[in-house]
Amino acid sequence: MAIRTDKEKLIEAALGHAIFDGMNDKAIMAAARDLAMPPDLARVYLPQGGADLAAAYHRQGDAALRDWLADGGATGRFRDKITQAVMYRLEIADRELVRGGAAVLALPQHAALGAKLLWETADAVWDGLGDSSQDVNWYSKRATLSAVYGATALYWLGDDSPIWRERAPFSIAASRA
């Protein structure tokens, strides 16, 4: 069993509140109260409030994606592997947490962080699939996939088709329990 830091505990508890309160200081402070953590310490761990919480949740998903790719989760032709990786990344996410995170990261003051997170997801896919390019292709592959993943995630957030309604959201935090 891995030892979790106080910051990881705070993030996990705050995500439980974020479903109802949104990705914001209210969720973080509620989590701090749950953990008997001083509010000032919670602000040290997540100084940008909801933006840091959204980034932490996003990065948890990227870590799970990296693990899945490392275990050989994607198969077939290269383009099929990319499609599978993007779909897997969406399937492991809780749509309401993603929606809350997207709302925070869409604010102008957090636009750079949102773009960085999209880049990190694209990088996780390409690295996980063994991309070894060291020229301009390294950048163009990630830039293109960042745009594709961002557009796909936005479509997914609004998709009410039966395939997504039938699937229960997967929570990374719940899978650790």
Side-chain angles (χ1 to χ4, degrees):
M1 183 168 132
I3 297 174
R4 295 183 316 149
T5 65
D6 287 343
K7 181 178 179 179
E8 290 169 335
K9 291 175 187 175
L10 176 65
I11 290 167
E12 185 176 331
L15 289 173
H17 288 281
I19 291 176
F20 302 103
D21 296 332
M23 295 267 185
N24 54 37
D25 286 336
K26 184 178 178 183
I28 294 166
M29 291 303 119
R33 279 190 305 277
D34 291 350
L35 299 171
M37 178 183 288
D40 290 340
L41 183 57
R43 284 188 186 90
V44 167
Y45 287 140
L46 302 171
Q48 293 185 44
D52 283 337
L53 183 59
Y57 180 68
H58 187 91
R59 288 179 174 133
Q60 285 178 354
D62 283 353
L65 173 63
R66 280 188 196 89
D67 292 344
W68 181 77
L69 288 170
D71 290 340
T75 59
R77 296 176 296 187
F78 213 78
R79 68 180 181 202
D80 295 335
K81 291 178 182 180
I82 293 170
T83 301
Q84 291 168 23
V86 169
M87 294 305 295
Y88 180 79
R89 181 65 180 82
L90 294 175
E91 288 174 3
I92 63 172
D94 181 306
R95 195 186 307 220
E96 293 311 310
L97 290 176
V98 173
R99 186 172 287 142
V104 170
L105 296 171
L107 296 171
Q109 64 267 33
H110 303 304
L113 176 59
K116 181 180 180 181
L117 292 170
L118 285 174
W119 185 275
E120 288 175 9
T121 300
D123 190 48
V125 171
W126 281 110
D127 284 349
L129 295 178
D131 178 43
S132 61
S133 60
Q134 295 181 356
D135 54 5
V136 71
N137 285 330
W138 187 91
Y139 295 97
S140 63
K141 289 176 180 180
R142 283 151 180 82
T144 303
L145 188 54
S146 293
V148 168
Y149 178 74
T152 303
L154 286 175
Y155 181 84
W156 170 74
L157 285 173
D159 187 6
D160 196 27
S161 64
I163 190 169
W164 291 112
R165 276 186 273 140
E166 292 170 5
R167 295 180 184 182
F170 176 83
S171 169
I172 293 172
S175 70
R176 292 183 187 154

